[in-house]
Amino acid sequence: MKTSLTNAASGITRRRFLGTTAGTALVVAAGAPGGLRAAEPLKVAGIYTVPVEQQWVSRIHKAAGIAQDRGDIAYVFSENVSNTDYARVMREYAEQGYQLIIGEVFAVEQEAREVAAEYPDIAFLMGSSFKQDDALPNFAVFDNYIQDASYLTGIIAGSMTETANIGMVGGFPIPEVNRLMHAFMAGAREMNPDISFQVSFIGSWFDPPKAKETAFAMIENGADMLYAERFGVSDAAQEKGILAIGNVIDTQADYPDTVVASAIWHFEPTLDKAIAEVQAGTFKAADYGVYSFMQEGGCSIAPLGTFEGKVPQAAMDLVKQRTDEIMSGAYVVEINDEEPKSS
C-alpha cells in the first residue's frame, strides 16, 4: 500500500508542512533550550547507475555529503543500480518517506517520470537529456552544463598541442557530453583554427579499459593531446608520455605529468537550490541546468598545479579575458548538443 504523506492532524501534505516549518532556519519547540531548535534535516536519497567514484556521479555524491555535513539533509544512496531496477528503487525510497530523490535517468526517462507521477508529494531532481514537463510538477531536471569551463580548457589544450591533433574519447553522444566536446573544440580553435580532432564514443559510462584502448588508437594516429571525458583516457596518455585535459573532476594528483587542466563541475549550487525549494514548499518542474554555469558557481577550471607556468602566456591571458567576459555576460559560450564528428 502506498504510504500517505498527509499530516493527519492538520490535513496538509508533508511537503506543505515543510514549507511552513522545516523551511525556516529555526522552529519553535516547546521544552527546547531558549524555545528554539534546528530544523529537521531533509531526507534525501540518491540513485545512481554507476559507482559513486565515477566522475559525473561523484560530483552529485560530494555535494550531498557536504549538505549532510552542514546538517541540511540526511542522505542515503544506492549505486550500481541497473536500468531495469531503477524504477523499483525509486519506489522503495518514495515509500520510505524520502522527501527529495536525486539521480540520473538518461536511460530510463519514461519509467522514472511514471514513478514520479505516482508520488506527487515527493520532489525528484534527476539528471536528464530532456526538459521538465509542467504536467509533472514534482519532477525537475538538471545536467552538467559546464561548457564554460570546457571551452577554457580547450584554449589551454590548443596552445599546447604540437601536432595540432587532439583525440577525444566520450561515453555516449548525448547532449550532456556533446556540448562539452563542442565547447572544448571551440576553445582549442581559438589558439589554432587548423587543429584536427579525432572523436570516438565507447558506448559505456564506466569502461576504463575500453576508453584506454580507444585513446591508444588515437595516439597511434598522431594525437599528442587527449580530452579525457571518460576514465582510462588519462592512463593511456600517461603511458605514452603525452598530455590530457580532464573533465568534471580534478585528477591531476593522480597524473601530475599528464593532466594539464580540468573542467570541474560543482553540483553544490544545483543541489542547494533544490533543498531550499523543497524546504520552502516551492519545488516545481524546472530546468536546474543553469546552476552549472560558471556565473552560478557551477563550474571552474582546476588549478594548473604542476603545469603552473608551463602553459603559454598568450593562452593564459585569453583564459583570463574570457573568464572575466563569461562572468560579466559579455561572452557566451555556445551550447551545441549535436554529436561532434572527427575532422
Side-chain angles (χ1 to χ4, degrees):
M1 179 179 296
K2 184 181 300 183
T3 302
S4 172
L5 295 185
T6 300
N7 184 286
S10 63
I12 60 177
T13 66
R14 181 176 297 177
R15 186 157 151 222
R16 176 72 177 275
F17 180 65
L18 283 168
T20 58
T21 57
T24 59
L26 296 172
V27 294
V28 176
L36 297 175
R37 66 174 173 81
E40 288 295 319
L42 196 71
K43 291 183 65 177
V44 177
I47 310 173
Y48 312 119
T49 61
V50 293
V52 291
E53 291 81 13
Q54 189 257 14
Q55 302 107 296
W56 198 88
V57 162
S58 73
R59 306 309 290 176
I60 304 172
H61 186 63
K62 177 184 178 184
I66 291 172
Q68 179 165 254
D69 289 343
R70 287 198 310 257
D72 291 346
I73 68 174
Y75 170 61
V76 300
F77 67 96
S78 296
E79 59 185 337
N80 292 314
V81 176
S82 68
N83 292 332
T84 54
D85 266 351
Y86 205 93
R88 177 185 62 79
V89 177
M90 286 178 69
R91 286 192 178 90
E92 287 180 355
Y93 279 129
E95 292 290 342
Q96 291 170 28
Y98 283 88
Q99 298 150 298
L100 173 62
I101 297 176
I102 58 178
E104 22 90 26
V105 296
F106 297 103
V108 290
E109 291 278 355
Q110 181 176 343
E111 298 93 327
R113 291 172 189 247
E114 289 172 356
V115 173
E118 297 173 18
Y119 298 91
D121 293 312
I122 296 174
F124 294 84
L125 177 65
M126 294 293 181
S128 170
S129 292
F130 297 90
K131 298 300 183 181
Q132 74 277 14
D133 180 356
D134 291 339
L136 189 59
N138 63 323
F139 191 95
V141 298
F142 69 87
D143 211 338
N144 65 328
Y145 282 83
I146 63 170
Q147 65 280 344
D148 298 326
S150 295
Y151 164 79
L152 297 175
T153 61
I155 292 174
I156 293 173
S159 74
M160 298 193 75
T161 175
E162 296 179 357
T163 64
N165 186 328
I166 297 178
M168 308 182 69
V169 181
F172 292 92
I174 65 171
E176 178 261 321
V177 175
N178 298 345
R179 72 176 67 104
L180 306 188
M181 286 188 164
H182 278 295
F184 173 87
M185 294 161 80
R189 290 190 178 113
E190 287 257 20
M191 300 306 297
N192 182 352
D194 296 324
I195 287 178
S196 62
F197 299 92
Q198 301 178 59
V199 180
S200 185
F201 298 92
I202 63 172
S204 172
W205 291 128
F206 195 73
D207 191 343
K210 188 171 183 178
K212 185 177 180 180
E213 288 303 315
T214 302
F216 277 148
M218 292 178 173
I219 297 169
E220 288 294 320
N221 199 34
D224 70 343
M225 171 72 72
L226 296 176
Y227 176 76
E229 199 271 327
R230 292 293 100 196
F231 276 150
V233 177
S234 294
D235 295 290
Q238 181 175 252
E239 288 187 24
K240 295 297 184 179
I242 69 168
L243 302 177
I245 297 292
N247 181 59
V248 174
I249 62 175
D250 183 5
T251 57
Q252 196 188 72
D254 298 318
Y255 308 95
D257 300 317
T258 303
V259 175
V260 182
S262 298
I264 307 301
W265 183 28
H266 305 290
F267 190 68
E268 289 80 4
T270 303
L271 181 59
D272 291 349
K273 175 66 173 177
I275 291 171
E277 294 290 347
V278 175
Q279 288 176 331
T282 54
F283 187 89
K284 62 182 180 181
D287 183 357
Y288 278 62
V290 65
Y291 300 107
S292 291
F293 285 25
M294 186 171 283
Q295 285 181 321
E296 298 290 339
C299 66
S300 68
I301 297 183
L304 296 182
T306 55
F307 283 90
E308 193 70 47
K310 298 179 182 179
V311 178
Q313 190 59 46
M316 295 311 301
D317 289 345
L318 183 56
V319 166
K320 174 64 167 61
Q321 175 188 334
R322 289 290 189 247
T323 299
D324 292 343
E325 292 171 343
I326 289 168
M327 294 301 289
S328 71
Y331 187 87
V332 177
V333 177
E334 181 185 7
I335 296 175
N336 184 348
D337 289 346
E338 296 179 4
E339 180 177 346
K341 304 292 184 181
S342 298
S343 57

